[in-house]
Amino acid sequence: MTTQPPQSPRPALTFALPDGSTRQVEVVQVLNAGYAGRSQEDVAAHVAELAELGVPAPSVTPALYPVAPYLAQQTGRVSVQHGRTSGEAEWALIVAEDGELLLTAACDHTDRELEVHGVAWSKNAGPDVLAARAWRLADVAARLDELTLRAWVTHDGKETELQSGTLAELLPPAYWVEVLRERGGLVPGTVLISGTIPMTDGVDQFADRWRVELGDPATGDIIECSYDVVPMPEPIG
């Protein structure tokens, strides 16, 4: 009789909601949207710019990249192998156990050296860092385009804003909900990361620390995630 090895527990995320309750989500799949600007004309121009830098163009836009579930993390520390990795300000859509949809802030930490060989590979080389708080999507659905998305980077203790915009610049959660539903992927434990907004020219994205805020101007509430970028020791051998 063959004994099956015990199954490892699924990675779990815990979110605090505005009413004081918490939701724990066992992650079964993570999907990273790419080239997900609401203006696909601007996306096409961005694809052309990246192609000049050697980043392969996607076969379709918007794109959707599967990421290993364990890479969805709530952490204050991201370990990196070299100095050319960076985050991106994003929102994250989470499907809770009962199918309720949650919205939170996220930062997709990406290996830019690996990106020129394959975007999907680069997305799997670093974590998607999520905030510890979330809103119910239904509670902010009527004003989604007014929500703000901002990111700051820190170099030698000095923080500089790198990204600032609104969710109106990105394809909305409803778009991705429909995509997931058509694919049979709108299942509890799904985490979908939105894609990002433009970065400010002249600001170094290869930073010591990242901070992302998702803000609701109507209430003044802000959801934040932040983490230090920590170089790993040099390999031996």
Side-chain angles (χ1 to χ4, degrees), residues 13-29:
L13 304 170
T14 302
F15 299 98
L17 301 181
D19 62 7
S21 65
T22 59
R23 302 296 296 273
Q24 187 173 71
V25 178
E26 291 189 354
V27 181
V28 299
Q29 66 171 342

Side-chain angles (χ1 to χ4, degrees), residues 33-37 40 43 58 60-64 171 175-176 179:
Y35 309 100
Q40 285 295 294
V43 168
V60 297
T61 61
L64 200 57
L171 291 169
Y175 173 88
W176 293 112
V179 169

Side-chain angles (χ1 to χ4, degrees), residues 28-113:
V28 299
Q29 66 171 342
V30 179
L31 301 164
N32 279 27
Y35 309 100
R38 201 170 297 187
S39 167
Q40 285 295 294
E41 291 81 5
D42 291 347
V43 168
H46 181 53
V47 170
E49 291 172 355
L50 290 176
E52 294 180 0
L53 299 175
V55 178
S59 58
V60 297
T61 61
L64 200 57
Y65 303 104
V67 173
Y70 66 84
L71 291 175
Q73 299 178 16
Q74 291 168 316
T75 181
R77 178 188 177 103
V78 169
S79 298
V80 298
Q81 297 184 72
H82 55 80
R84 290 186 61 82
T85 70
S86 64
E88 295 177 342
E90 313 206 13
W91 53 257
L93 180 72
I94 300 104
V95 185
E97 184 176 348
D98 57 1
E100 185 174 43
L101 302 177
L102 308 178
L103 187 72
T104 193
C107 195
D108 166 24
H109 204 83
T110 301
D111 188 319
R112 303 301 176 186
E113 288 287 347

Side-chain angles (χ1 to χ4, degrees), residues 109 116 141 166 199:
H109 204 83
V116 299
T166 69
M199 294 185 178

